[in-house]
Amino acid sequence: MRSVRLPLGGALLLVGVCAVMPTGAQSADHLKCYRIKDPLKLVGSVDPFLTPQFSSENGCQISKAELLCVPSSKTNVSAIDTKTKLPVALPFSAPPQPGDQICYKVKCPKLITPIPDQIVTDQFASRTLTKFKSRLLCVPAVKGTAYCGDATIDPGEDCEWTNLAGASCTSLGFQPGTLACAAGCTFDTSGCPLNPPPGSCGNGSIEGGESCDGIDLGGATCASVGFPLGGALGCNAVCAHDTSGCVRAFPATGQTTCWNATGAMIPCAATGQDGDVQAGLPITFVDNGDGTVSDENTGLTWEKLSDDGSIHDFDNVYRWQDAFAVKIAALNTPPCFAGHCDWRVPNRRELESLFDFGFTQPCVAPAFNTGCAPGCSVLACSCTIPEPGPGITMYWSSTTVVLQPISAWVLEFRRGGSNFGFDKTDDHVRVRAVRGGL
């Protein structure tokens, strides 16, 4: 190894790696080491001596301190290789060196397996280092008697282990979380969530089109958003009310009109008919704007159907087994329809929940019968059965007819009814996918 000794008074400059700086520029990337006289007469051992870069050594003996190395800076260095008589310097950068260190003399037994030669580069040259032998052990040092780990928060320290000096994530400007003390007696804020910017969902304040934000529900309750049986209303990640904790009940049929035995319309009061009692919760469907409709009573999310020739086209018909293997498989192929990969064929009771007996041809709420026209997509329209004129108005359920297992239950949406005489293998029927539920 070629070495360069630069005399600086009574000190030896142990040059580390750095960039060649313009004249007068400073770079705190060196340790300048001073010879010292230490009154502590130390004899001890370091066992094992773990040096991940090279090896593990056992039986190392430590003795007196020889050097105090402190961070320093330098001006541009001029040096010559004594063998080639040529200037040496490489453009090289390195992070600043750590604080003060005391270097102790250390002696280790000869290694059974020598450390292999190492190629290194610093500002002076690239070269191969050989014949490694332990000589010094340098350890961090602090001025005075105070140090990190003495259980006292000294000047320059934020904390001491579990003593956070009363600080918390929120006092440091973060959201509530877990503040810790790092090994250097500085705050570790990795467990503190960042505060969202003003005006954004998650900042705890209801703004813009938000219904809620965090624990602030805007005074709303399950009852006020359509669940009279109560429950626990929440707020979801997009600052909309989360009704999954609200108590749900059987939905009403949607019928509000009454008739007599001859089919003439009559006032509903005191008749006891469905249109009079209107038992159950109001039918509440919400168009999510992504080709799906959610039922706030059942928690189900339904696929809207289109008239554009896509997988969602309401004219598509399938054999029962293909409803699963073709239609549902396509919706659950990543990136998946509307961002969800758990679509399925609804069972009979789920499919029946779509009936709204206040309407006919089709017997569904407007959320499933709006703007249906040739070429419309699920983002622009919602289709159920062909209009006008005849057509296939049946939809498969996933429920088998137990008395006739080669058949499955289908529901008819022109007038609202069910049928079990459809063969799984031969008949071709429409499919509307569903996901979620209680």
Side-chain angles (χ1 to χ4, degrees), residues 70-352:
V70 299
S72 62
S73 60
K74 66 167 182 59
T75 56
N76 193 39
V77 172
S78 297
I80 295 176
D81 185 326
T82 58
K83 183 175 181 181
T84 65
K85 307 301 182 184
L86 296 174
V88 290
L90 294 174
F92 199 93
S93 63
Q97 293 293 327
D100 294 1
Q101 297 186 36
I102 295 178
C103 296
Y104 293 86
K105 184 177 180 181
V106 66
K107 183 177 181 181
C108 297
K110 185 177 180 179
L111 291 171
I112 298 175
T113 302
I115 296 173
D117 297 348
Q118 303 286 322
I119 298 176
V120 300
T121 300
D122 63 13
Q123 70 186 76
F124 296 106
S126 290
R127 64 273 196 190
T128 300
L129 307 183
T130 63
K131 299 182 179 178
F132 286 80
K133 185 176 181 180
S134 300
R135 180 175 179 183
L136 297 173
L137 172 64
C138 298
V139 298
V142 296
K143 291 290 189 293
T145 58
Y147 60 93
C148 177
D150 64 0
T152 300
I153 300 177
D154 302 303
E157 296 178 351
D158 295 329
C159 52
E160 276 277 350
W161 302 108
T162 58
N163 182 3
L164 302 178
S168 65
C169 289
T170 53
S171 72
L172 297 180
F174 297 89
Q175 292 191 66
T178 303
L179 181 65
C181 192
C185 290
T186 58
F187 288 134
D188 176 5
T189 60
S190 61
C192 299
L194 293 174
N195 278 317
S200 64
C201 177
N203 65 357
S205 178
I206 299 175
E207 299 158 315
E210 298 173 352
S211 301
C212 54
D213 200 311
I215 61 173
D216 186 355
L217 301 179
T221 64
C222 285
S224 71
V225 296
F227 296 88
L229 298 180
L233 184 67
C235 189
N236 63 23
V238 294
C239 288
H241 287 136
D242 177 5
T243 62
S244 61
C246 296
V247 178
R248 303 173 189 275
F250 209 76
T253 67
Q255 193 169 99
T256 58
T257 306
C258 298
W259 294 264
N260 63 17
T262 63
M265 189 179 298
I266 61 173
C268 282
T271 64
Q273 292 184 28
D274 186 8
D276 176 23
V277 179
Q278 298 181 33
L281 294 179
I283 295 174
T284 307
F285 291 110
V286 178
D287 192 319
N288 299 312
D290 59 357
T292 69
V293 173
S294 292
D295 184 344
E296 292 196 341
N297 286 315
T298 63
L300 295 169
T301 298
W302 293 91
E303 171 199 19
K304 288 172 64 178
L305 297 179
S306 63
D307 193 12
D308 58 358
S310 70
I311 189 68
H312 308 292
D313 196 303
F314 79 137
D315 285 326
N316 295 337
V317 291
Y318 305 87
R319 294 180 302 171
W320 192 72
Q321 57 266 39
D322 292 333
F324 304 89
V326 178
K327 171 67 181 277
I328 298 302
L331 298 185
N332 288 333
T333 299
C336 303
F337 174 48
H340 298 283
C341 301
D342 57 350
W343 295 98
R344 54 188 172 81
V345 177
N347 65 39
R348 175 178 164 169
R349 291 195 185 278
E350 288 174 327
L351 203 54
E352 285 175 336

Side-chain angles (χ1 to χ4, degrees), residues 390-404:
I392 299 173
T393 63
M394 302 291 185
Y395 283 77
W396 283 121
S397 79
S398 62
T399 306
T400 293
V401 179
V402 177
L403 186 63
Q404 188 176 309

